[in-house]
Amino acid sequence: MKILVAVKRVVDYNVKVRVKSDNSGVDIANVKMSMNPFDEIAIEEAVRLKEKGVATEVIAVSCGVTQCQETLRTAMAIGADRAILVETTAELQPLAVAKLLKALVDKEQPGLIILGKQAIDDDCNQTGQMLAGLCDLPQATFASQLEVIDGKARVTREVDGGSETLSISLPAIITTDLRLNEPRYVTLPNIMKAKKKQLDIFKPEDLGVDVTPRIKTLRVSEPPKRSAGIKVPDVATLVAKLKNEAKVI
């Protein structure tokens, strides 16, 4: 069984993002970029399934600029066998990414597709669900536990009321949550091995996909700065302030 894992290059989670002076977007010039943390969990889970003998091959996929090759090399250092980059400088929105991934699913015919539940840059949480709709495949989102047994995936997922366990037929699409696993540390020998692994590059037009943006960003701005807190002498004063100043009760 093949496992296809989508990974995204994003601003590193330790970096404080800055908005461009013209409010057109986030400034990524000279900013450290890395793999989306949820996608790192997805790659780790796919590699663990291969180590258990459930899968025979793990394929990492990324869509975006040339520098996404670095992200794919990291995925191969974690344990992916080969990688595919759909290279484009266009702004990729969730629907476009889902269409690109569908074209690759049709081409590779994987038994399981794993994605991070969302990317930490746009927080859309849409691509996995859109891909499931386009491919007409069962899906289990926000997975915190995953087992593959007898051609079915048993997925424990987090919901508002706690957790629920689903059994879905393969092929299927799964999106990962934080508690699914702890990604392994990438060692130098594995980084060197990753440089020799196969990395195929396609263009969206090679896959017959139109990636024209459907949504236009009008303005990006920083959230308002929090004002300093105050101490109140008693509960009555607190209630009065919440009612008359904050107007939340």
Side-chain angles (χ1 to χ4, degrees):
M1 181 178 77
K2 291 182 186 176
I3 301 180
L4 192 76
V5 184
V7 297
K8 186 177 184 180
R9 178 177 181 262
V10 298
V11 174
D12 190 89
Y13 67 92
N14 289 311
V15 173
K16 186 181 186 304
V17 295
R18 300 187 307 273
V19 175
K20 291 180 180 177
S21 56
D22 61 358
N23 295 107
S24 61
V26 172
D27 185 4
I28 59 171
N30 302 314
V31 169
K32 182 184 178 185
M33 308 292 283
S34 61
M35 188 189 300
N36 178 47
F38 290 104
D39 299 341
E40 202 172 350
I41 292 168
I43 278 284
E44 174 66 27
E45 193 64 24
V47 172
R48 290 187 186 189
L49 288 172
K50 185 188 173 189
E51 290 170 346
K52 290 175 183 175
V54 173
T56 54
E57 186 179 30
V58 176
I59 308 165
V61 178
S62 192
C63 306
V65 295
T66 306
Q67 291 88 334
C68 290
Q69 291 186 38
E70 300 168 14
T71 308
L72 290 170
R73 293 291 177 197
T74 301
M76 289 189 284
I78 292 172
D81 298 290
R82 60 186 173 96
I84 300 171
L85 171 62
V86 183
E87 189 175 359
T88 177
T89 56
E91 179 196 349
L92 290 176
Q93 295 174 349
L95 180 58
V97 176
K99 288 179 177 178
L100 292 171
L101 292 176
K102 181 189 184 298
L104 293 174
V105 168
D106 293 342
K107 177 181 172 64
E108 296 288 344
Q109 294 293 306
L112 187 62
I113 303 101
I114 309 179
L115 307 87
K117 72 170 184 177
Q118 65 193 75
I120 62 171
D121 53 0
D122 55 21
D123 273 337
C124 283
N125 181 20
Q126 296 175 347
T127 305
Q129 292 89 328
M130 287 178 169
L131 179 60
L134 292 172
C135 295
D136 193 24
L137 291 175
Q139 62 175 310
T141 55
F142 316 135
S144 57
Q145 276 186 294
L146 170 62
E147 293 178 284
V148 178
I149 304 168
D150 298 330
K152 290 184 179 291
R154 183 181 175 89
V155 183
T156 300
R157 59 186 299 267
E158 300 190 0
V159 294
D160 290 342
S163 65
E164 67 176 8
T165 301
L166 305 176
S167 177
I168 56 177
S169 301
L170 300 181
I173 290 166
I174 292 171
T175 70
T176 61
D177 213 333
L178 282 173
R179 278 167 283 280
L180 182 58
N181 62 51
E182 181 73 32
R184 69 194 65 189
Y185 178 76
V186 180
T187 61
L188 183 59
N190 286 337
I191 291 172
M192 301 308 292
K193 288 177 186 175
K195 292 181 178 180
K196 297 178 182 178
K197 291 183 179 180
Q198 179 183 344
L199 197 162
D200 299 318
I201 299 176
F202 297 96
K203 300 286 186 184
E205 47 269 28
D206 298 335
L207 301 172
V209 177
D210 176 18
V211 295
T212 305
R214 265 58 176 185
I215 300 170
K216 181 180 178 182
T217 301
L218 301 179
R219 179 182 174 86
V220 176
S221 58
E222 292 187 11
K225 288 184 170 54
R226 292 179 62 180
S227 56
I230 60 169
K231 290 183 178 180
V232 293
D234 51 46
V235 174
T237 308
L238 173 62
V239 171
K241 287 188 176 292
L242 290 174
K243 185 175 182 180
N244 301 322
E245 296 180 18
K247 299 188 184 302
V248 294
I249 58 174

